[in-house]
Structure formats: structure tokens, C-alpha cells
Amino acid sequence: MIKHHPTPETLLAHAAGTLPAGHALVVAAHVQGCAACQVELARLEALGGALLEELAPEALAPEAFAETLARLDSPAPITVRQMPRQADLALPEGLRLPAALRGAEIGRWLWVGRGVRYSRVRLPWAPGGNVMLMRIAPNRRVLAHSHGGAEFTQVLHGTFTDATGQYGPGDMAEADSDLAHQPRADGDGCICLAALEGGMRLPWLSRLVGGHA
Amino acid sequence: MAAREASALGLRFVIHIQNTKWRGWWIARLIHFAAPRVCWYMNAPDAPFPPPASRGASVSPVSALDSPALDAEAQAVLIARVAARDRQAFAALFKHFAPRVKAYLRRAGMEASEAEEVAQEVMLLVWRKAESFDAARGAASTWVFAIARNARLDHARRRANLPPAPPEDEDSLAPCAETLTLTAERAARLRGALGALSPDQQQIVKLSFFAETPHAAIASALNLPLGTVKSRIRLGLARLRALLEDGV
């Protein structure tokens, strides 16, 4: 049972195509597994269609139609897609990565702290995004951090808990830039897909080096 | 008397044009006018002229459909005809959607020439993808909106020398029963419900769709706190949903 969904304004931005690519990927991964959000997204896209109908038309150049007509018979360009490199992540039995990750390059697990591993996800169509898979061992915590921008997290396996609640498989968490949190995996450990804008901030580190958090 | 005068005038006109440097042009006009009619008369004297447009014949977007607006049902029918490679139907869709798609792209911050180019691409995609349109899954305007939105994003990527995002997996988004109820007929009601929102809510919902800006930028443009923008969107969407569900 999915308890945590994207906020309405996030789904609206997804329908409008204004989310950053990394966030859009996490929302797409959530929607693929969530019937309620599929319905909501269909509704919002219908809203987009209704708004499109209402726009004051802007005339095209007189020759635009003839130009398009002349191109109708040209074959659609074939885009050759290279199979992205996806490392074998040795996922738990029965767990498959969301279909939204099909075109993404996925790096191998890297150790980033006790019980915490990280795999870089690179989107060829948005290489600058900060997207990752996280694997947290049972009862381990991620370093306390806040974000330069919002962080979206989709739980793929297990559960994690932070100050805002407990998130299980299929749940999506939205952490604003003002939320400083320290997610902790529960008994099964946790694997999740996360995208963040503006990088991670480590207040304790800046305190340590004498700055102010 | 009138007939005689008219024919005299006509004769003088013909003599006049024969003596001017425009003679070649007038003769060409005459042949252009007469030749198809003569050919048509020799083949099928009983059929009405002009013959119905066929594949490859000239199709004009203006003559195709002169009614001011297409309702959702007519749009769905046109897309089905386009799937069967009907150019006349495509002309009608082009006439209706291309200027709206261009307006959408302009609002998303594109230059006029760029918007024109991408609007043409969108219509080309409408032609190519018409077969995948399923009227049971949503209104035609919804379908065109999604194509235009994705084309806008892919265009931005192309300009940055990036590949397009992989197409959405159609199978992974199999329509569920509830999605199926979002039919064309409902799309019209949605527009009515939109008009029932407060002007503030309408403005912010429209900005969310049409300005290529995240909510934070909308907040600063309207001089509102980000929290207010988000709560207005939430209220607006909740109101829309209530209006739609009341109307069932």
C-alpha cells in the first residue's frame, strides 16, 4: 500500500514538463508503480489539453502548412539508441529497477559510509542531473544533511524513516531545501532512487571546519 | 442591351490584354483555369467539379474546415482519419492545433521562428503517431498537449546537443478503469470547471503549465512567497477535482 505520493504541485509540474530531469525521473518511477497517481496525472494532462484549447491561436507563416505537408511522406528519423551501461547491482531477489531507468547509465555500488552504498545514475539526456541509487544496510543512517534544492526519493525496496515519517516500497518522499534530515533504514535495509537539486549540504562538516551552518 | 454592351466590353478587354505585355500571364491563367476542367469533363462529365481531394492533391488548411472550433469528438474522428492517412483530415487538425501549439511554445519562452519550427514538428508527430491515439484513454487535446510538451523538452535537449529522452513505455502505462473514464466528453467539462476557479487560482495553474519556470520563479514573478504559490496550486487543483466529481 503506497502511503506517500508526490505533492499535487509536483505532479502538476511533471504534467507540465517543468520539473528538472532528475526529479521528473523519480516522479515517473513513482507513477509507473502507483495507480492513484496515474489517474491524477491523466487528469492533469487533460487539464493541459484544456488549457491548450483555450490559448489564443498564433497564426503560422502562410507556407507552414505546405511545408509540413511536404514532409509527411519522409520517413521518421531513426534514432539509434545505445544500450546504456548498467552495472550489475546484485539487487535482492525479485526486485527490478523501475522502467523509467531504462535509458539511464548506472554505475556500480560505491562505499560512502558505514552500511551506505551509492551508485551514480547518469541520464544521457540530462547529464548534469544529480541522480543516484542508495542502498542502506538495516538500521544504518545516512549522514545528516540538508539540500541546496529539493530532494525526491522513491523507495524501491525496504523502508526508511526520517523525521517526516516512514517510507515503504513505492512511496515517494519530497524533502525541501529547508529540511535537514538523517534518514535511517529499518530492519530490511533500504534501496531507493533519489534525485536532488543543488547538491547535498553537510551542516556538521561546516561546523567542524569552523564555518557556520 | 446590357448583354450586348457586356460582350462588347469583354471583347475590348480581350483585345486589350492581347496587346499588353501581360499577355503571357493572362494566357497562362486561362490555361490554368481551363485545363483541369477540360480534362475532368472528358473523363467524367457527370461528376461535380472540383473532384474530392485525393492523396497528393493540393490540400488547403483554410478550405478544409471553416468552422471556428472543433469539439473533442470531431477531433478524435479527425485523428482516426489521419491514422488512415487522410490529408484533408490532417489539414483540419493542422488548422486547429498548429496555431495553439505555437502559442503554447511561445509562452514557454521560444522565439517566434523557433516556435513555428517546433509547432510544425509537433504536427508531423501527430501525423506519424496518429495510429497510437486511443480515444478511450483521453481527449485529443490531451494527446496533442503531451506531444507538444515532449517536443518542447526534446527541442531544448537538441539545442544542447543532448539525445532525446527515451519514449515512454506504452505498456507500462496500461489504462486502468478510472483512466478510461477520462474521455473526450470529460475534457469539455474540465474546461468549464477551469472557468469556475478564482482568478488567482486560474492564473497560477496557467502559469504552471505555460511558463517554463519552476514554482520558485513564479513566486518571485508574482511577488508572492513560494508557500503561497504552492498552496494556491493545491487549492486550485482540489477545487477542480471537486467540480469535476460533482458534475459526474
Side-chain angles (χ1 to χ4, degrees), chain B residues 6-239:
Chain B
S7 64
L9 202 67
L11 192 65
R12 268 171 55 199
F13 183 63
V14 167
I15 291 166
H16 170 72
I17 62 165
Q18 276 185 350
N19 290 330
T20 63
K21 60 179 176 177
W22 291 97
R23 189 168 53 196
W25 185 80
W26 280 104
I27 293 170
R29 282 294 301 268
L30 189 71
I31 293 173
H32 181 82
F33 176 77
R37 281 166 173 77
V38 170
C39 294
W40 156 78
Y41 184 75
M42 287 165 74
N43 287 329
D46 295 325
F49 191 87
S54 60
R55 194 185 154 80
S58 73
V59 182
S60 119
V62 184
S63 69
L65 212 114
D66 283 328
S67 63
L70 280 173
D71 66 8
E73 207 174 318
Q75 289 170 8
V77 170
L78 285 172
I79 295 178
R81 279 170 58 195
V82 165
R85 312 283 82 164
D86 178 338
R87 282 163 197 249
Q88 205 71 44
F90 181 69
L93 279 182
F94 191 97
K95 185 180 174 239
H96 180 78
F97 278 118
R100 287 173 170 82
V101 168
K102 184 181 172 188
Y104 161 64
L105 296 168
R106 292 276 285 141
R107 284 181 173 226
M110 275 193 200
E111 304 262 334
S113 61
E114 218 181 346
E116 180 109 9
E117 180 195 323
V118 179
Q120 286 191 34
E121 256 165 52
V122 169
M123 294 315 295
L124 200 58
L125 287 169
V126 164
W127 172 264
R128 288 185 183 144
K129 292 176 176 230
E131 235 176 316
S132 73
F133 172 71
D134 180 358
R137 280 173 69 169
S141 58
T142 308
W143 183 72
V144 174
F145 169 74
I147 292 178
R149 173 198 62 196
N150 296 345
R152 171 173 72 74
L153 294 172
D154 279 340
H155 177 77
R157 292 180 187 119
R158 206 176 326 134
R159 285 187 55 168
N161 272 326
L162 295 170
E168 269 176 50
D169 196 353
E170 295 288 330
D171 302 333
S172 72
L173 286 173
C176 53
E178 277 182 280
T179 319
L180 285 173
T181 61
L182 276 163
T183 49
E185 176 256 333
R186 251 182 109 155
R189 262 219 330 270
L190 189 58
R191 237 179 303 161
L194 198 60
L197 292 185
S198 77
D200 282 355
Q201 290 169 345
Q202 270 194 44
Q203 179 195 33
I204 233 151
V205 168
K206 283 184 188 172
L207 274 178
S208 309
F209 265 101
F210 294 134
E212 196 206 10
T213 45
H215 295 141
I218 295 177
S220 64
L222 297 181
N223 211 3
L224 289 170
L226 181 59
T228 309
V229 168
K230 289 191 173 182
S231 65
R232 259 189 213 173
I233 292 176
R234 274 186 206 196
L235 285 172
L237 293 177
R239 180 107 191 275

